Amino acid sequence: MLKKNTELIKRELMSGRMMDFVSQISLRHRIQATDGYRDAAQWCAGALSALGVQTEVLSYRAAPKESAFQSRHFYEWECTGARLELVSPHEEILGDWQDCAQFVMSRSGAADFRERGLEVVYLDEDCKEEDCKDIDLEGKLIFSSAAAASLAWAFNKRGAVGMITDRIVCFGGFRIPEELLDSRGYCSFSYSDTVFEKQPCGFVLTVRQGLALRRLCRRMERERAADPAKPRYPVVRGYVSARLFDGHMENVSAVIPGETDEEIMLSAHLCHPKPSSNDNASGSAAVMEIMATLARLISEGRLPKPRRTIRALLVPEMTGSYAYLASLTPEQRGRIAAGFNLDMVGAKQAPDAGGPVCIHRTPEYMASFANDLAELITEYVTAAHADILSDGGVKYEYNFRVKGFSGGSDHQVFNDPTIGVPYLDMTQWPDRHYHTSTDSPDKIDSGVLRCSAAIAGAWAYAMATLERGDLPEIFAKAAESFTRACGEQLGRWQSGGEGDGGQLVQRMEFACDNACRALRGLMRFFPGDEELELLIEAECNRYEDMCHGFARRVMGLCGVERTPLPAQDAELERVPVRLFVSEMSREALKEYLEKPQHAAVKEKMNPMRGLENHIAAWMDGERSVGEIARCVMLDSGECDAEYALAYIRLLVDAGMAKWRN
């Protein structure tokens, strides 16, 4: 039934309606905790309700005194207008809020300099406070492509009023700013209320405007050096009408009731500036179409009512997932069996647009058969768009790939072991127009979007209706995944210089343990099925024999022996116990990171890398520090035991962990 249901769901999805959803969502400026986001949430809820899906809008307080687990909330932001004009040495309109919402930096403070004008001081992107001690910034605007947070010193200590930026984040190999001359980057001040003493104002130029203003600033500096009577800086006039205040933020929750209160989830973040069509009007539109199509097919009797409830969430990214989960009791969170997040899933797959759509598996600490089911369904969906070439090869019309875990969106929140939900992610990368004003509806491909929705929709329905008859295909795909995982671990072992055989065996056993935990997860869906449990254990025994046999053969071929692993320092034998739920935020550790004994952690900590989340995830109260570091290394490819120990000591100092022994 898996293939049959997948084909039915894909056939019944309405591409035109999905594209309409994308267009409607793209019309709204959807910054988290704003009226624009609220309008989008209410529109989506209304559209789903009109299509027969049970839907509600959930509201949460938006204020720094509120929090969800370790994630602090933030103020609501309101912007009602802004304009910036160059008035000297010549006149030019640089931007207006009514013309392009991304012209104003998100979370910008208020300012009004329409009467007196402000001088603009150019600072290089890598400029530091010590480099600018002779530059007067009081009452001026900074022009820089640096991140706003890195210039906090200029606003807090030196009296700068705000900034102008043409910042577009570059990604090596596929995007440079000069390829996006008429784009504005998505730029924002920090959501934290502790970075700036007074919220600066901020304006975003197109790359073309930024290049011209940079040339002007440098030319005026040269002319001033040659003739002190000449003005040193350009002058602008303008304003921002904005405020930060205690407010609210919203999630959209839609439900297709099942026979039980167990849930399979779909999610997409609804936020980001207008238009943000691929990131992430596409994911939100796909989730909406999935829910509308499944609800219709079930009501028409063409699909049976699912055993498990299917719930969809449209959220402000990360913040909404934290808020939703924190509003549930541990028992309610325990009813969520699995989930799939859709984040950027519909851009045209062309050199000047988007790359492959990647289905990211769960992290190894949340190993699940749900990954194998997703891979199976991806093959069903994309096979219909394949041509057999004359040489026997296969050419796919659309490029979809199944890859290892990658964080950075809402699935990361659910995958934390203290939440305990195996959660996959679908995202398109690279995307040339990511976080720019040119991420617009014309960049969306209805065919790519339809395939993305078909994969996630068929997966959600299959998970909600899983039957014994589906298991042979899942077992076969799981065995294929295990073999591939062994190959990946072998590759890492070889790239590390082919250490001794003990390290190879350790890698093979890691792959085997993860594969067995993934299979054993089936028992949640078939409780009390003793025959299935025996089959799973027999398969796990087979995996164990395979991994050890494979390791022996490789060691024989490479001429290496298995030697005992070296003894660990006593500190690495200690077992930490985690005392916090959900992921740890840097903000929650800020006070402790300033202590001298934690300087090494502060220097190395990188939220984009996510190493600290991996360390915390493997802290199950049973593993020692050395074992945790080993698991993180085998899982992510990086982490030394000394850093793991230093980070865990930081958690203990902050009262977020304790030593069991």
Side-chain angles (χ1 to χ4, degrees):
M1 292 296 289
L2 279 177
K3 189 172 185 179
K4 181 180 178 181
N5 288 342
T6 298
E7 291 171 348
L8 173 63
I9 291 167
K10 182 183 178 185
R11 186 168 63 246
E12 292 294 327
L13 291 168
M14 298 186 183
S15 299
R17 184 165 64 188
M18 253 189 296
M19 294 295 282
D20 287 343
F21 290 159
V22 169
S23 296
Q24 284 293 329
I25 295 169
S26 298
L27 288 172
R28 293 159 168 86
H29 193 48
R30 311 179 306 279
I31 303 301
Q32 297 193 23
T34 64
D35 270 339
Y37 176 91
R38 189 170 298 117
D39 179 45
Q42 291 169 347
W43 183 86
C44 291
L48 282 169
S49 295
L51 292 167
V53 182
Q54 297 180 23
T55 310
E56 61 179 329
V57 176
L58 308 174
S59 183
Y60 312 89
R61 291 285 295 168
K65 62 186 177 184
E66 305 289 336
S67 63
F69 303 125
Q70 320 311 317
S71 173
R72 285 183 64 200
H73 290 188
F74 39 79
Y75 290 117
E76 182 168 336
W77 180 60
E78 178 184 70
C79 182
T80 56
R83 188 176 177 87
L84 188 68
E85 298 179 35
L86 181 66
V87 295
S88 175
H90 63 270
E91 295 185 356
E92 179 184 350
I93 297 173
L94 296 176
D96 193 294
W97 164 262
Q98 298 297 326
D99 183 49
C100 178
Q102 288 198 47
F103 160 66
V104 179
M105 287 180 65
S106 299
R107 317 286 296 175
S108 172
D112 192 338
F113 46 96
R114 283 173 283 193
E115 296 298 325
R116 58 186 175 88
L118 296 178
E119 291 180 316
V120 178
V121 180
Y122 172 66
L123 299 180
D124 287 329
E125 182 176 5
D126 57 356
C127 189
K128 302 293 189 296
E129 181 178 1
E130 54 270 24
D131 302 327
C132 303
K133 54 188 175 183
D134 297 327
I135 302 176
D136 179 15
L137 299 177
E138 183 73 33
K140 295 180 173 62
L141 287 179
I142 295 168
F143 171 43
S144 177
S145 57
S150 70
L151 296 171
W153 58 269
F155 307 118
N156 295 340
K157 300 179 184 178
R158 305 286 294 280
V161 173
M163 70 181 294
I164 302 170
T165 185
D166 60 346
R167 179 179 177 83
I168 284 184
V169 178
C170 300
F171 300 99
F174 83 95
R175 179 167 104 171
I176 58 174
E178 288 73 16
E179 296 172 325
L180 299 164
L181 286 173
D182 296 309
S183 297
R184 299 179 198 266
Y186 172 18
C187 299
S188 177
F189 289 108
S190 172
Y191 279 70
S192 169
D193 64 324
T194 63
V195 175
F196 304 109
E197 294 175 4
K198 180 184 177 183
Q199 197 74 354
C201 64
F203 306 90
V204 184
L205 305 182
T206 65
V207 174
R208 192 187 303 276
Q209 289 176 317
L211 290 170
L213 182 57
R214 193 172 282 103
R215 286 194 296 268
L216 175 62
C217 289
R218 288 170 173 164
R219 191 195 80 202
M220 292 182 71
E221 284 278 5
R222 291 194 302 270
E223 291 175 351
R224 171 60 177 258
D227 182 356
K230 289 191 173 183
R232 183 177 182 181
Y233 303 120
V235 177
V236 295
R237 289 180 182 166
Y239 76 100
V240 180
S241 178
R243 67 184 180 119
L244 294 165
F245 58 97
D246 285 1
H248 293 85
M249 58 183 173
E250 293 77 27
N251 286 336
V252 179
S253 175
V255 170
I256 296 173
E259 295 172 353
T260 71
D261 58 5
E262 251 196 335
E263 292 187 353
I264 302 299
M265 291 192 67
L266 295 168
S267 61
H269 73 79
L270 183 58
C271 60
H272 283 2
K274 175 184 178 181
S276 293
S277 296
N278 195 37
D279 186 18
N280 185 38
S282 67
S284 298
V287 168
M288 291 173 67
E289 179 59 29
I290 290 166
M291 295 300 282
T293 298
L294 290 180
R296 174 172 57 83
L297 292 173
I298 292 165
S299 69
E300 292 173 352
R302 298 169 67 188
L303 284 176
K305 182 178 180 177
R307 173 173 171 74
R308 297 166 192 85
T309 294
I310 301 174
R311 182 183 297 274
L313 284 181
L314 304 181
V315 301
E317 191 170 20
M318 310 293 274
T319 314
S321 292
Y322 285 127
Y324 176 75
L325 288 167
S327 72
L328 305 179
T329 65
E331 180 185 5
Q332 288 171 324
R333 291 198 294 268
R335 295 174 190 161
I336 308 171
F340 208 138
N341 184 58
L342 284 75
D343 185 355
M344 302 168 58
V345 298
K348 295 174 180 175
Q349 294 182 332
D352 61 344
V357 177
C358 301
I359 292 88
H360 291 286
R361 300 166 66 90
T362 61
E364 297 294 12
Y365 50 79
M366 287 300 297
S368 174
F369 73 91
N371 298 312
D372 305 307
L373 178 62
E375 188 167 351
L376 195 61
I377 288 174
T378 300
E379 292 173 0
Y380 291 156
V381 170
T382 56
H385 300 276
D387 294 324
I388 306 299
L389 304 178
S390 58
D391 62 359
V394 180
K395 179 182 179 182
Y396 291 92
E397 182 178 355
Y398 303 120
N399 190 352
F400 282 74
R401 300 177 185 175
V402 178
K403 300 181 70 175
F405 175 73
S406 178
S409 193
D410 293 270
H411 62 294
Q412 181 176 316
V413 179
F414 288 84
N415 270 311
D416 187 275
T418 59
I419 302 298
V421 181
Y423 222 94
L424 291 85
D425 176 62
M426 181 187 295
T427 194
Q428 189 167 17
W429 194 258
D431 181 347
R432 191 175 298 278
H433 299 278
Y434 168 76
H435 281 197
T436 72
S437 58
T438 46
D439 178 10
S440 47
D442 61 296
K443 309 300 190 303
I444 302 299
D445 184 311
S446 62
V448 174
L449 188 59
R450 183 192 185 96
C451 284
S452 297
I455 291 167
W459 177 91
Y461 185 75
M463 290 291 288
T465 58
L466 203 62
E467 300 175 348
R468 264 298 209 106
D470 300 326
L471 298 186
E473 290 175 283
I474 293 174
F475 267 64
K477 184 56 67 176
E480 182 182 319
S481 298
F482 168 61
T483 303
R484 184 170 61 235
C486 289
E488 289 170 356
Q489 289 295 343
L490 171 62
R492 290 180 181 179
W493 178 73
Q494 290 176 316
S495 64
E498 293 187 7
D500 67 40
Q503 294 174 344
L504 175 62
V505 171
Q506 197 175 74
R507 288 185 174 279
M508 294 300 107
E509 289 178 344
F510 182 74
C512 181
D513 179 61
N514 296 332
C516 291
R517 283 189 292 110
L519 272 185
R520 288 173 181 138
L522 280 165
M523 292 310 300
R524 171 172 183 159
F525 291 75
F526 300 93
D529 190 331
E530 295 180 1
E531 183 184 12
L532 176 59
E533 190 169 13
L534 289 173
L535 287 172
I536 289 172
E537 292 310 310
E539 189 73 350
C540 290
N541 290 336
R542 188 171 74 88
Y543 287 177
E544 188 173 344
D545 291 341
M546 286 173 62
C547 87
H548 286 118
F550 182 62
R552 284 194 300 273
R553 288 191 293 275
V554 170
M555 286 189 287
L557 290 169
C558 295
V560 298
E561 296 182 358
R562 179 176 182 175
T563 57
L565 295 172
Q568 292 189 135
D569 184 279
E571 281 287 287
L572 299 181
E573 296 292 345
R574 301 185 74 183
V575 176
V577 179
R578 181 174 167 175
L579 301 177
F580 60 94
V581 176
S582 189
E583 295 179 312
M584 179 55 62
S585 69
R586 186 177 180 124
E587 183 77 16
L589 297 172
K590 186 176 181 180
E591 174 188 346
Y592 300 93
L593 284 166
E594 298 306 318
K595 292 185 176 183
Q597 64 264 39
H598 302 309
V601 177
K602 182 180 178 180
E603 182 181 350
K604 286 188 176 182
M605 186 181 282
N606 182 350
M608 295 302 293
R609 186 176 56 173
L611 190 59
E612 295 74 27
N613 288 334
H614 276 274
I615 293 171
W618 288 101
M619 288 171 57
D620 61 355
E622 299 294 331
R623 291 183 175 91
S624 68
V625 175
E627 289 169 333
I628 291 166
R630 194 154 49 242
C631 286
V632 175
M633 171 61 77
L634 295 172
D635 187 1
S636 68
E638 60 176 321
C639 185
D640 61 82
E642 290 304 316
Y643 182 71
L645 178 60
Y647 181 67
I648 292 169
R649 281 174 173 162
L650 170 64
L651 294 178
V652 171
D653 189 23
M656 300 294 182
K658 66 179 183 180
W659 296 111
R660 197 185 76 183
N661 53 352

